[in-house]
Amino acid sequence: RITGSNITIEGNGAVLAGNGIGATAAMVDIRGHDIIVRDLRLRNGGDNIRVQETGYNVVLSHLSSTGAADDGISVGYGAHDVTIQWCFLAGNTRSIFLKEKTTRNISIHHTWIQKQWIRGPIVSTAVNADVRNLMARSGRAVFGMGKAKGEHRITQALNYALNSPFLSLSIQGARGILF
């Protein structure tokens, strides 16, 4: 567990293998602030990397996360101001999971997600997130924003998500693949 502040973890391509730890344990558990984790390979943890509760002003950059029993990258329970960029995720149960209503100001961009088992990047209700330039291949890629209550909540949430100003799709002028 990382609880300090003003910390940079430069992995230089090192591999952290979580073989033998519990299915819900995190290999890297960030609860501090002003932290950068980059150029690290995370393999086979419960959650490979997690930012929760008191974690804020965190940048996860150039990470690869594979084989997590739960989440490849998990951000939740009040964490805020977190950026996930230029990452590769494959073979995790869930690739990226942003959860709980007090989690806010999350940015995910230029990240490649492959072969997830349950669902694609998931953003729970009321989490404020900016998600751009993701490439998802294989498995189910799901992204939606919506909140509703009552008997028709699924239809209402879907309509809200489809009409959201955050959701815009355009391939006009696109050439090749940007990653």
Side-chain angles (χ1 to χ4, degrees), residues 1 4-5 8 16 20 24 28 30 35 38 42 55 73 76 118 136-138 176:
R1 184 176 284 188
S5 62
T8 297
L16 292 180
T24 60
V28 178
I30 299 171
I35 295 173
R38 66 179 173 216
L42 303 149
I73 298 175
I118 293 177
R137 182 174 181 269
S138 189

Side-chain angles (χ1 to χ4, degrees), residues 21-27 45-47 50 69-70:
I21 70 170
T24 60
M27 287 194 300
D47 284 350
R50 176 187 296 165
D70 198 16

Side-chain angles (χ1 to χ4, degrees), residues 62 106 131 165:
H62 292 85
I106 311 301
V131 181

Side-chain angles (χ1 to χ4, degrees), residues 1-4 6-14 16 27-42 48-51 56-65 72-73 81-88:
R1 184 176 284 188
I2 301 168
T3 58
N6 301 309
I7 297 170
T8 297
I9 299 173
E10 174 60 65
N12 291 319
L16 292 180
M27 287 194 300
V28 178
D29 188 351
I30 299 171
R31 312 267 177 135
H33 62 88
D34 299 290
I35 295 173
I36 299 170
V37 180
R38 66 179 173 216
D39 199 19
L40 194 59
R41 300 173 187 179
L42 303 149
N48 280 344
I49 189 164
R50 176 187 296 165
V51 182
Y56 67 93
N57 293 342
V58 175
V59 176
L60 307 176
S61 183
H62 292 85
L63 303 180
S64 72
S65 171
I73 298 175
D81 300 294
V82 177
T83 298
I84 301 167
Q85 63 186 17
W86 301 102
C87 294
F88 173 77

Side-chain angles (χ1 to χ4, degrees), residues 52-106:
Q52 290 189 348
E53 296 172 357
T54 54
Y56 67 93
N57 293 342
V58 175
V59 176
L60 307 176
S61 183
H62 292 85
L63 303 180
S64 72
S65 171
T66 61
D70 198 16
D71 303 330
I73 298 175
S74 175
V75 181
Y77 306 105
H80 59 90
D81 300 294
V82 177
T83 298
I84 301 167
Q85 63 186 17
W86 301 102
C87 294
F88 173 77
L89 296 98
N92 300 298
T93 299
R94 291 180 295 241
S95 57
I96 299 172
F97 193 3
L98 309 180
K99 50 192 160 191
E100 299 302 321
K101 58 188 170 190
T102 57
T103 301
R104 64 191 187 281
N105 302 332
I106 311 301

